[in-house]
Amino acid sequence: MINISPKECASRIKQTIKDTIKEKGVAPSLAIINTLETPATSAYIKGKLKDAGEVGIEAEVIKIDEFISIGELLRIIKTLPHNAIIVQLPLH
């Protein structure tokens, strides 16, 4: 039987990302768009921010109204200068 450690796998992946960022000399950035403040979403976002920080990715949480229209959400996304964008669900 093969014993796989999720923590060890995550650590290796994070180190690879960190090394690549350093090697390429880039400054990647992440926008996390969030509508709801629930314990679950807060914990999930906190983990994303922690992981991003550990590998050298600038991360920002952008709070928007939970009843935003899809059109308005897309307009906001198009204006963001970040390399990566996560829309944290749920949306109404």
Side-chain angles (χ1 to χ4, degrees):
M1 180 165 81
I2 297 174
N3 187 8
I4 298 173
S5 166
K7 285 187 178 186
E8 186 178 318
C9 288
S11 179
R12 287 182 183 175
I13 291 168
K14 286 179 184 179
Q15 189 60 51
T16 299
I17 293 169
K18 189 175 183 176
D19 293 345
T20 301
I21 289 170
K22 186 176 181 179
E23 177 186 307
K24 301 286 183 186
V26 297
S29 62
L30 169 67
I32 302 169
I33 298 174
N34 185 35
T35 60
L36 296 175
E37 285 294 324
T38 67
T41 58
S42 295
Y44 197 64
I45 289 171
K46 182 179 177 183
K48 290 174 189 176
L49 293 172
K50 178 180 175 282
D51 290 340
E54 288 177 359
V55 299
I57 296 174
E58 295 282 332
E60 173 185 13
V61 178
I62 299 168
K63 298 281 297 157
I64 61 173
D65 183 77
E66 65 183 284
F67 296 103
I68 191 168
S69 70
I70 294 296
E72 182 63 15
L73 177 59
L74 291 173
R75 188 194 65 73
I76 290 169
I77 289 170
K78 288 177 183 178
T79 67
L80 295 174
H82 301 78
N83 302 95
I85 299 167
I86 296 171
V87 178
Q88 180 65 48
L89 299 175
L91 295 174
H92 286 277

